[in-house]
């Protein structure tokens, strides 16, 4: 049986190899308990030294302070058995953490804080180490208490004091100083320090996510919105980094403020829902609670002003939060929770100010309240509260019976049966009101007709059916003419017929889009959308907004497309329609295509979270993961991309969704190959097998997969196998070209080029022939750049054989066809200059090189 000592040593090995987290903490707790139970004080000391950084990073102030006091007591009593340093752990280092922890709760007096700093200084002096860390603690404590003038003096002394082994790291020093500059109103100085952290890639335990969070509002004030180090991208990056650790609650608070002032109240509400429970994570970190509660009040106020005061905040109903917000009957609304959060923040501010003897926290609360008057237009992702920039007004149910019957008729014309039923019920309620007028025969007949339509199958408009039939038989022009005739019907102008008009307008938009008249199609779709929004036809509005988004994208109007996708998402969410997730994915893909990959991945991750929670089919989750992988590559988060692609392949293969499995496997294999992982070749071989399932549907998938597999083999210097795979792909591409597959001609030429490159080392003659053939095929389909590169490959073979006369015409031909591609042409001209030199045509060489230089 393993001894307690052996088990503890085993635990230490596992702990030291793990990142901070619940799993690591569980092992530390086991080691502490085992050492205490067996009276192994020295091992208990070593275990608690491991607990100190873990508790600090995970937000367990109680455990941190208890462990520190225990260790300090043992060290003071017997420094020989309990030395300051055990392995890589140093008790001196953790004094600074204790100071900040005491500062974070009004339960500890200023005398407690000062005593901790004095003890730290006494111990540092006793051990003969520098006092830079002590001065940093004094500076940090002064800032935390709002004694900013004193903080400035400590900062000056800190800058004059040499750094030592117990100084804060360079990243944390900059981060704390930046926060001080923001506090005294010197945003530019603070952002300069933040930029050093961002641009130099500086990191620490909570950095750069802490610096990002603190910089968000200063960045907005400075007008730095876009770009890698702009507020938008840093918010997305920083929130992603902060959201996994409950000790990051103050960072989450800054992201809530950001959402509140940038018009992203819906996003802020989603974030608040996810992290509200963190208010009870660390009972002693009242500073974090104040930050969270005050920022929550700011965010909830923004949502309230945007019209979401009655929206439910589900997470607030957690019984554990009663001690924060008090008892409450029923679900919390945004408005109710705002008041409770503000009251709780006000109470904490008063406690801190009593402890500190000033009004620092009250002033911070006032600054947060003033954010209600601050606004920066910076929409991110999808929204579900607030107003969108459309000309549509909210649906209003008419007061009179005839108006309600007309509205029901309109909704049925749009096949909005659920909404129509609600309006009919409202009509019934009106008819049953005391003193109501008796129904006329016409009204009775109208109600009966509407009920019959409700009970019948879905609406089928003969005119619409006829329009699409004409489109199929006589073409889009005839169908559009028929649509215009229907829209000109005077009956549509008599107060009734809005639903029919909406249907005709949407049909017109679809026909115009099919005819590549995207702007006109968008205008028709928007007109149909406006009717749907006015009638409260949410499913219609969501579907039509999606159509408008596609048309806007085709028209090159990305901003309009984003707005339309947001409307589609909002309306689908309000109607609880599954198409909300589809629209979110489409919005995410658009944002990614626009270079806003962080936002795109955020949307996809939200979709995945919902899909996982609702048990969506494996194939749907696989496609979402594939898109997350794409976005992660764009963000250079390569490990996240690899993980997403692997999961996508596994889920899609399990579901036998061979299209998604193939696409994800190709992306995974390509990324693995690029990053030097030889297993990428195996993954690409698997992609070929997945693609075989798609052969009857589209033979190009197998051809492309073989092409990528062959290229990867060639890169790995397995040219024999590469040639075998590429030759089979060439034969398949030739057959597809004979069948007039639109993509086969390019693929065949590209495969010839790839095979030439694979053979160039050992089979130059064949490679030369293949390269020239590839160049000819590329030129035949007006693909100038690949044609030029294939010619240069052939020319390079001649040049390496010391045959410049044979290389010259190939290079001259490449230069001729690359006239409109200066970036590639410059390379060709420099190479051509070398060929002319070998042929003693020095004047031509000079001209070629001068021409190349003029292009740069």
């Amino acid at each position: 049986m393993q001894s307690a000592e052996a088990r503890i040593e085993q635990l230490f090995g596992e702990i030291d190899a793990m990142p901070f987290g619940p799993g690591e903490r569980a092992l530390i707790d086991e080691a502490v308990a085992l050492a205490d139970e067996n009276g192994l004080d020295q091992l208990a000391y070593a275990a608690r030294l491991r607990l100190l950084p873990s508790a600090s990073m995970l937000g367990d102030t109680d455990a941190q302070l208890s462990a520190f006091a225990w260790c300090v007591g043992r060290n003071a009593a017997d420094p020989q058995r309990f030395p300051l340093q055990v392995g890589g752990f140093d008790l001196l280092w953790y004094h600074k953490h204790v100071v900040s922890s005491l500062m974070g709760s009004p339960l500890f007096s200023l005398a407690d804080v000062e005593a901790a700093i004095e003890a730290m200084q006494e111990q540092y002096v006793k051990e003969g180490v520098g006092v830079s860390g002590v001065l940093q603690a004094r500076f940090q404590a002064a800032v935390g208490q709002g004694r900013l003038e004193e903080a400035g003096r400590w900062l000056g002394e800190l800058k004059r004091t040499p750094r030592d082994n117990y100084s804060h790291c360079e990243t944390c020093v900059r981060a704390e100083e930046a926060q001080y500059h923001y506090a005294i109103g010197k945003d530019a100085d603070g952002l300069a320090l933040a930029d050093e952290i961002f641009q130099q890639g500086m990191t620490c335990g909570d950095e750069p996510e802490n610096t990002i969070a603190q910089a968000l509002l200063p960045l907005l004030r400075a007008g730095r919105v876009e770009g890698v180090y702009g507020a938008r991208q840093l918010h997305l990056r920083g929130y992603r980094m902060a959201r996994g650790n409950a000790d990051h609650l103050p960072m989450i608070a800054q992201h809530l403020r950001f959402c509140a002032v940038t018009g992203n109240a819906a996003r802020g509400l989603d974030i608040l829902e996810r992290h509200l429970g963190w208010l009870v994570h660390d009972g002693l970190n009242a500073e974090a609670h104040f930050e969270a509660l005050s920022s929550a009040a700011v965010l909830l106020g923004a949502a309230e002003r945007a019209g979401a005061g009655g929206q439910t905040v589900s997470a607030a109903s957690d019984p554990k939060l009663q001690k924060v917000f008090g008892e409450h009957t029923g679900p919390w609304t945004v408005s109710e929770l705002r008041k409770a959060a503000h009251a709780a923040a006000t109470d904490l501010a008063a406690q801190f100010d009593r402890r500190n003897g000033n009004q620092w926290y009250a002033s911070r609360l006032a600054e947060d309240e003033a954010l209600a008057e601050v606004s920066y237009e910076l929409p991110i992702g999808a929204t579900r509260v607030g107003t969108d920039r459309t000309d549509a007004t909210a649906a209003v149910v008419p007061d009179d019976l005839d108006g309600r019957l007309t509205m029901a008729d309109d909704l049925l014309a749009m096949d909005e049966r659920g909404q129509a039923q609600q309006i009919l019920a409202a009509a019934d309620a009106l008819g049953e009101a005391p003193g109501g007028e008796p129904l006329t025969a016409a009204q009775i007949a109208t109600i009966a007709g509407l009920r019959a339509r409700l009970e019948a199958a879905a609406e089928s408009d003969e005119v619409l059916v006829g329009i699409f039939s004409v489109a199929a038989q006589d073409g889009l022009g005839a169908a559009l003419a028929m649509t215009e005739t229907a829209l000109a019907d005077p009956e549509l102008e008599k107060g009734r017929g809005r639903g029919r008009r909406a249907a005709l307008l949407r049909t017109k938009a679809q026909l115009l889009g099919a005819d590549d008249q995207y702007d006109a199609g968008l205008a028709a779709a928007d007109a149909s959308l406006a009717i749907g929004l006015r009638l409260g036809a949410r499913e219609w509005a969501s579907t039509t907004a999606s159509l408008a988004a596609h048309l806007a994208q085709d028209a090159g109007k990305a901003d309009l497309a984003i707005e339309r996708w947001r409307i589609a998402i909002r309306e689908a969410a309000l109607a609880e329609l599954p198409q909300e997730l589809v629209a979110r994915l489409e919005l995410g893909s658009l944002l990614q295509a626009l270079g806003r990959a962080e936002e795109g991945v955020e949307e996809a991750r939200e979709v995945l979270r919902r899909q996982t929670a609702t048990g969506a089919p494996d194939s749907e989750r696989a496609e979402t993961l594939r898109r997350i992988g794409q976005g992660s590559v764009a963000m250079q988060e390569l490990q996240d991309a690899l993980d997403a692609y692997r999961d996508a392949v596994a889920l899609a293969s399990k579901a036998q969704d061979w299209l998604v499995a193939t696409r994800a496997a190709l992306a995974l294999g390509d990324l693995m190959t690029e990053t030097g992982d030889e297993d990428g070749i195996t993954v690409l071989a698997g992609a070929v097998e997945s693609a075989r399932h798609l052969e009857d549907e589209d033979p190009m998938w197998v051809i492309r997969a073989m092409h990528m597999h062959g290229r990867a083999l060639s890169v790995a210097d397995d040219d024999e196998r590469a040639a075998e795979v590429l030759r089979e792909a060439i034969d398949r591409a030739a057959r597809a070209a004979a069948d007039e597959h639109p993509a086969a001609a390019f693929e065949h030429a590209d495969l010839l080029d790839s095979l030439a490159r694979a053979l160039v080392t050992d089979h130059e003659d064949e490679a030369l022939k293949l390269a020239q053939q590839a160049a000819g095929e590329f030129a035949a389909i007006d693909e100038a750049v690949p044609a030029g590169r294939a010619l240069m490959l052939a020319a390079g073979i001649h040049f390496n054989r010391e045959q410049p006369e044979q290389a010259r015409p190939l290079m001259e031909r490449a230069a001729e066809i690359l006239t409109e591609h200066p970036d590639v042409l410059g390379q060709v001209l420099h190479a051509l200059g070398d060929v002319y030199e070998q042929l003693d045509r020095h004047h031509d060489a000079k001209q070629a090189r001068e021409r190349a230089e003029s292009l740069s």
Side-chain angles (χ1 to χ4, degrees), residues 643-694:
D643 292 342
Y645 282 141
R646 286 193 183 98
D647 290 344
V649 171
L651 285 172
S653 299
K654 178 183 174 184
Q656 297 187 357
D657 186 331
W658 302 117
L659 178 58
V660 176
T662 301
R663 296 177 75 182
L666 288 174
L668 174 60
D670 189 43
L671 182 57
M672 293 173 71
T673 302
E674 284 184 8
T675 54
D677 188 337
E678 294 181 358
D679 289 339
I681 294 173
T682 304
V683 172
L684 290 172
V688 173
E689 296 309 309
S690 291
R692 293 188 193 280
H693 293 279
L694 304 170

Side-chain angles (χ1 to χ4, degrees), residues 267-304:
R267 175 177 173 78
L269 287 175
D270 286 342
I271 293 173
L272 184 65
E273 285 272 14
R274 290 180 204 139
H275 302 290
L276 203 57
W278 286 4
L279 280 166
V280 293
H281 170 73
D282 186 349
L284 287 178
N285 196 348
E287 162 66 22
H289 301 164
F290 170 80
E291 282 284 330
L293 288 163
S294 187
S295 66
V298 171
L299 184 279
L300 292 163
E304 195 173 21

Side-chain angles (χ1 to χ4, degrees), residues 235-236 239-240 242-246 249 252 255-256 259 266-279 281 299 313-316 318 321 337 382 384 580 584 599 601-610:
H235 159 65
L236 292 163
Y239 174 66
R240 180 166 46 83
R243 67 187 176 191
N245 186 343
L249 189 57
I252 300 300
H255 289 281
L256 292 179
C259 288
R267 175 177 173 78
L269 287 175
D270 286 342
I271 293 173
L272 184 65
E273 285 272 14
R274 290 180 204 139
H275 302 290
L276 203 57
W278 286 4
L279 280 166
H281 170 73
L299 184 279
V313 184
S314 302
D318 186 336
L321 291 172
L337 190 61
R384 275 181 281 167
E580 177 198 351
R584 279 185 178 273
E599 289 179 73
V601 170
E602 280 274 315
E603 293 298 329
R605 288 195 183 281
E606 174 62 16
V607 170
L608 182 63
R609 185 182 70 81
R610 305 256 200 105

Side-chain angles (χ1 to χ4, degrees), residues 154-235:
W154 286 122
L155 179 61
E157 187 170 345
L158 178 62
K159 287 178 175 292
R160 292 188 295 271
T161 301
R163 289 181 55 78
D164 56 65
N165 291 336
Y166 292 89
S167 298
H168 278 35
C169 77
E170 292 280 7
T171 310
C172 291
V173 166
R174 284 169 171 77
E176 290 181 16
E177 185 179 344
Q179 196 165 346
Y180 162 73
H181 287 306
Y182 301 145
I184 63 174
K186 293 186 176 182
D187 284 354
D189 292 342
L191 289 175
L193 291 164
D195 283 336
E196 291 182 19
I197 293 173
F198 302 150
Q199 294 169 12
Q200 296 177 30
M202 302 174 74
T203 62
C204 188
D206 288 334
E207 296 294 350
E209 53 266 43
N210 172 61
T211 296
I212 289 173
Q214 300 300 332
L216 290 175
L217 293 185
L219 284 167
L220 291 173
R221 291 193 291 264
R224 288 177 51 181
V225 174
E226 303 294 350
V228 177
Y229 304 121
R232 181 200 298 273
Q233 289 295 91
L234 286 175
H235 159 65

